[in-house]
Amino acid sequence: MVDSFIRDVPDFPKAGILFKDITPLLQDPRGLAKSIDGLADLVDPDSYDLVCGIESRGFIFGTALASKLGKGFVPIRKPGKLPWKTESESYELEYGTDTIEIHVDATALGKRFLMVDDLLATGGTMGAALTLVRRIGAEPVACAFVIELGFLPGREKLGDVPAHSLIKY
Ligand code: AMP
């Protein structure tokens, strides 16, 4: 059901990429509710303290999930956005590198993190996020994605952290 709201946009943001557009899912009340309910069912909520989401689409799903379950939310952001003391981690892109950051005191209310993003592709982003949260003393319990591109080896970047997804292509 959730998959019927994902729009394929060819050649975005560049030629050869088939972009999975989640905006039709977000704007439909049933689609939005189903996706958050589905994420909540992927991992036992008693196994984690906080939901950690990656900018920016991980914020959309992660905060809604956290609020539904009565948990707090930790943002992982692009460089220079977080105002307090941060740790950062860089990772390889197809061309160049990218960096993500987290506040060093994000574990104040719990160390067991559920890691959330909209989509698992090469795994570079989530792999770096796992390294980052471990560096501040958190334990990534599991990863949850709305969409997984199963034809890419993204799971290999996640090591022994279990990964779950609502839709697998
Ligand atoms: P990766 O680091 O390769 O696993 O890429 C994951 C991040 O890139 C996610 O935050 C996605 O939002 C975005 N992304 C990668 N590939 C796609 C795609 N085909 N459609 C939509 N978003 C994508």
Side-chain angles (χ1 to χ4, degrees):
M1 183 281 193
V2 171
D3 57 318
S4 64
F5 293 107
I6 306 296
R7 174 165 56 196
D8 284 351
V9 183
D11 300 318
F12 183 88
K14 58 183 183 184
I17 305 278
L18 182 63
F19 194 86
K20 297 292 183 184
D21 178 15
I22 56 161
T23 62
L25 174 70
L26 296 175
Q27 73 193 23
D28 185 282
R30 292 160 304 157
L32 180 59
K34 281 272 183 200
S35 59
I36 302 306
D37 291 350
L39 287 170
D41 288 339
L42 286 177
V43 182
D44 176 8
D46 290 336
S47 70
Y48 54 92
D49 307 309
L50 293 161
V51 178
C52 180
I54 306 172
E55 188 171 0
S56 51
R57 279 167 278 162
F59 291 3
I60 299 170
F61 295 103
T63 48
L65 174 64
S67 180
K68 175 186 168 71
L69 296 174
K71 295 182 187 286
F73 177 80
V74 172
I76 289 181
R77 297 211 63 181
K78 291 168 181 157
K81 301 284 187 187
L82 289 170
W84 189 242
K85 290 174 194 157
T86 57
E87 280 286 353
S88 57
E89 175 71 15
S90 296
Y91 57 100
E92 301 290 323
L93 297 175
E94 199 178 345
Y95 302 103
T97 61
D98 219 340
T99 302
I100 49 176
E101 296 186 341
I102 194 168
H103 273 153
V104 293
D105 60 358
T107 53
L109 295 177
K111 292 188 186 307
R112 300 177 305 160
F113 283 16
L114 175 71
M115 308 298 294
V116 173
D117 205 357
D118 67 321
L119 186 142
L120 176 66
T122 67
T125 309
M126 187 56 86
L130 297 179
T131 304
L132 186 61
V133 302
R134 286 184 174 120
R135 198 171 303 137
I136 61 159
E139 177 204 347
V141 168
C143 303
F145 303 92
V146 178
I147 301 166
E148 175 179 354
L149 304 184
F151 50 87
L152 294 173
R155 283 176 179 255
E156 290 175 11
K157 295 267 175 64
L158 310 182
D160 57 5
V161 180
H164 307 274
S165 51
L166 287 182
I167 307 165
K168 194 168 175 173
Y169 294 102

